[in-house]
Amino acid sequence: MIRPPRPLTVDEIEALLAADVPARLATLDRHGFPHVTPLWFIWAEGAFLLTSLPDRAHVRRLERDPRAGICIDLEEPERRDGQRPNRQVRAVGEAELFADEDGMWTRRITRKYVAGPAAVAREERRAADPRTVIRLAPVRLIAVASV
């Protein structure tokens, strides 16, 4: 029997959005076909924030058509009962693009994913490149778990 997914609790949503897993950003090409790109992100100020180099294809697609989707998910290893429990947050909206002029967003995002002695140097290297911030404030957000 297939059960419908259950809604995530607020604590589960916060934990999933804080996990150091990449988001999958979906953008549309000029023919309307979706393209999915894994990117580091943070959730802040009611939006998903990602940074990327300005010449990347996903940035150019968002310049042309700001409609986007995003998915953050985790799947647990298989349990004895054969289940592979998963949790996911999916959202859609129109992306806003702007320059990460002082590298603040790039540093904050990098800090989420890189720890240890090399973290500060990695933050500075990534922030030294001109980067574009992708801000996706959801117009619709779904947060569910399989079990």
Side-chain angles (χ1 to χ4, degrees), residues 74-106:
L74 285 174
E75 185 173 273
E76 304 293 328
E78 184 176 348
R79 301 185 318 195
R80 288 185 178 177
D81 65 1
Q83 291 279 339
R84 291 184 60 100
N86 70 71
R87 292 167 285 146
Q88 55 188 270
V89 172
R90 299 186 314 261
V92 295
E94 291 195 4
E96 172 190 356
L97 304 176
F98 55 93
D100 191 12
E101 292 185 16
D102 61 2
M104 178 192 77
W105 291 111
T106 298

Side-chain angles (χ1 to χ4, degrees), residues 23-27 33-39 58 61 69 71:
R24 289 165 185 81
L25 178 69
T27 58
F33 290 103
H35 293 262
V36 178
T37 306
L39 293 168
H58 53 273
R61 287 190 293 268
C71 178

Side-chain angles (χ1 to χ4, degrees), residues 5-109:
R6 69 167 177 81
L8 292 180
T9 66
V10 171
D11 288 343
E12 288 175 314
I13 293 169
E14 288 175 0
L16 182 52
L17 295 179
D20 62 349
V21 297
R24 289 165 185 81
L25 178 69
T27 58
L28 299 171
D29 71 15
R30 68 177 50 107
H31 304 291
F33 290 103
H35 293 262
V36 178
T37 306
L39 293 168
W40 289 354
F41 79 99
I42 59 170
W43 172 258
E45 303 171 8
F48 297 94
L49 291 127
L50 315 90
T51 65
S52 190
L53 298 173
D55 65 343
R56 296 294 193 233
H58 53 273
V59 174
R60 290 193 311 270
R61 287 190 293 268
L62 289 170
E63 289 170 342
R64 188 177 52 255
D65 184 343
R67 293 177 298 163
I70 197 164
C71 178
I72 295 87
D73 65 301
L74 285 174
E75 185 173 273
E76 304 293 328
E78 184 176 348
R79 301 185 318 195
R80 288 185 178 177
D81 65 1
Q83 291 279 339
R84 291 184 60 100
N86 70 71
R87 292 167 285 146
Q88 55 188 270
V89 172
R90 299 186 314 261
V92 295
E94 291 195 4
E96 172 190 356
L97 304 176
F98 55 93
D100 191 12
E101 292 185 16
D102 61 2
M104 178 192 77
W105 291 111
T106 298
R107 285 184 186 87
R108 284 185 63 185
I109 292 166

